[in-house]
Amino acid sequence: MKNISISLIICFGFLSQLTAQIFATPDTTNLFGLLPHQEALVSFGDLDNDGDKDIIIGNDDYPIFYKNIGNPSNPQFDSTDISTIGLSNTLENFIVRLVDIDNDNDLDIFWVGDTLVFIENIGTPTLPQFDLTNAISHPFNMQNNPMGMPYFVDIDNDGDFDFLSRHFNPLVYVENTGTPISPYFDWLNATQSPFGLNTNIHLNPQFIDIDNDGDDDLFTSTYNGDIKFFENIGTNTQAQFDINFVLNPFSIQSYNNEYSFCSFSDIDSDGDIDLMLSGDGPLQYLENLKIVNFIEEIKYNNSKVIKITDVLGRELNEKKNTTLFYLYEDGTVEKKIIIE
């Protein structure tokens, strides 16, 4: 029987957005003005309310503030004196998360060093000012020091941010039983290995709705710098993660050898989530590539195919009746199926 190559947008338009995630090869040089930092966590946030994402980079030495002087579709990060937002370049081990924890429309800071510290933004959405003088250790009923990077996400969709972090090996979940403006973390009833996750090591958790199905999925790191992906197969109110994780999904590559920090953001404002990857290797930008859906758009493409992958970016040979992605040398990605 004749083999026919058909564009998936024609035959399988109902497929999840999970099929539209392919990340480019890591770029360590064209970083929109960022320096090639190592051992750093990139925290994105629109600190000045101008519609584009700024960055605070934390590392073992001191914090760095990069103001986005470009625009949402053409970012350009400019190193700016961190004292202008109330912080100091003498701070050490300044690994931070930006989150509007008190729902006052500006971003606050959680600092993870020897302990968990909350630094409130007492400025405005357009003129941030972090109150370093009155920083608080173990805020909002936090009673123990997390053993890894915390992440704040409304995992149960009740309007406030909950807390997840690695505590020794398993992930620990602490529900926010307060309100969006007055958080209170129920540490007494904290849950280890929540939402169906087993006790596998979950380094540097990052939650993002990568497949655009309305619930947050989980990315973590391994001790050799690889990335684990746990799909949320539950709902946005009752999370349930598939413990059959995928290693280095969506063609994600890394130059790290020991650990990785994932930071997701739509950096170029093109409607898909890009990845800034850091760790013990150099800072890396992985663009979420545009998927070509119409076969007519690539029928005259003379570029060489460099890789064929499945939905999750796992490399494989050409296979019939299976969703496939063809990655070309010129950066084009074709999504198609060969029907027998």
Side-chain angles (χ1 to χ4, degrees):
M1 183 176 290
K2 183 179 180 180
N3 292 337
I4 305 174
S5 176
I6 303 178
S7 167
L8 283 180
I9 199 168
I10 297 172
C11 297
F12 297 95
F14 58 84
L15 285 177
S16 165
Q17 285 295 106
L18 182 66
T19 63
Q21 316 294 324
I22 294 289
F23 289 95
T25 301
D27 190 340
T28 59
T29 56
N30 300 312
L31 300 174
F32 311 106
L34 298 175
L35 295 175
H37 299 281
Q38 285 187 274
E39 300 185 350
L41 176 68
V42 178
S43 296
F44 289 98
D46 187 1
L47 288 169
D48 49 10
N49 201 34
D50 63 351
D52 54 38
K53 296 291 182 65
D54 309 294
I55 285 176
I56 292 181
I57 287 184
N59 54 35
D60 289 338
D61 297 322
Y62 52 85
I64 301 171
F65 172 41
Y66 283 97
K67 180 177 173 60
N68 191 342
I69 58 174
N71 57 56
S73 59
N74 293 291
Q76 185 64 33
F77 297 106
D78 183 45
S79 182
T80 305
D81 187 349
I82 203 162
S83 67
T84 61
I85 57 175
L87 299 176
S88 169
N89 60 10
T90 63
L91 298 169
E92 295 182 354
N93 298 318
F94 197 76
I95 306 295
V96 303
R97 294 287 195 194
L98 288 167
V99 59
D100 183 10
I101 196 67
D102 49 8
N103 200 34
D104 62 352
N105 298 314
D106 56 37
L107 293 169
D108 307 298
I109 280 178
F110 283 86
W111 170 18
V112 186
D114 295 331
T115 187
L116 182 67
V117 176
F118 171 62
I119 308 174
E120 185 180 4
N121 187 346
I122 57 174
T124 67
T126 56
L127 294 171
Q129 193 65 209
F130 294 102
D131 190 7
L132 186 60
T133 302
N134 295 304
I136 302 170
S137 296
H138 298 134
F140 312 120
N141 194 47
M142 289 291 188
Q143 297 177 15
N144 289 312
N145 181 34
M147 302 305 294
M149 287 303 305
Y151 200 86
F152 295 89
V153 58
D154 187 5
I155 197 71
D156 52 8
N157 198 35
D158 64 351
D160 54 38
F161 288 104
D162 306 299
F163 173 92
L164 291 105
S165 180
R166 172 182 171 240
H167 190 69
F168 296 98
N169 284 347
L171 200 67
V172 62
Y173 164 61
V174 188
E175 184 181 2
N176 186 348
T177 58
T179 68
I181 60 174
S182 297
Y184 184 89
F185 293 101
D186 186 10
W187 198 269
L188 182 64
N189 294 305
T191 305
Q192 287 193 349
S193 302
F195 314 122
L197 295 167
N198 56 25
T199 57
N200 285 340
I201 295 172
H202 299 292
L203 295 174
N204 311 321
Q206 173 89 15
F207 293 84
I208 189 76
D209 184 7
I210 194 68
D211 51 8
N212 199 32
D213 64 351
D215 54 41
D216 290 291
D217 308 295
L218 171 63
F219 290 81
T220 67
S221 175
T222 70
Y223 276 130
N224 61 3
D226 289 325
I227 303 299
K228 289 181 179 180
F229 169 66
F230 298 83
E231 184 183 0
N232 189 343
I233 56 177
T235 68
N236 63 351
T237 57
Q238 293 185 322
Q240 182 74 20
F241 294 98
D242 186 350
I243 61 172
N244 297 310
F245 64 84
V246 178
L247 199 64
N248 299 321
F250 314 118
S251 293
I252 291 175
Q253 300 176 46
S254 172
Y255 293 148
N256 300 315
N257 296 314
E258 296 179 6
Y259 64 93
S260 294
F261 290 130
C262 290
S263 297
F264 290 95
S265 180
D266 186 2
I267 298 171
D268 50 10
S269 195
D270 63 351
D272 54 39
I273 302 298
D274 306 299
L275 172 60
M276 197 71 79
L277 197 62
S278 58
D280 61 295
L283 189 62
Q284 307 154 47
Y285 167 59
L286 285 72
E287 182 183 3
N288 194 332
L289 297 174
K290 178 182 178 183
I291 306 297
V292 176
N293 285 311
F294 291 101
I295 196 69
E296 290 81 3
E297 294 184 27
I298 62 160
K299 64 190 297 184
Y300 301 113
N301 191 334
N302 294 318
S303 183
K304 180 182 177 182
V305 174
I306 59 174
K307 185 188 296 185
I308 302 174
T309 76
D310 66 4
V311 167
L312 288 171
R314 295 169 293 201
E315 193 165 356
L316 75 170
N317 295 322
E318 198 169 60
K319 187 176 181 182
K320 299 179 179 64
N321 303 319
T322 302
T323 303
L324 299 173
F325 293 93
Y326 289 69
L327 283 71
Y328 294 87
E329 279 184 329
D330 64 358
T332 303
V333 182
E334 177 192 3
K335 179 174 63 175
K336 67 179 182 178
I337 189 170
I338 298 175
I339 299 177
E340 186 173 40

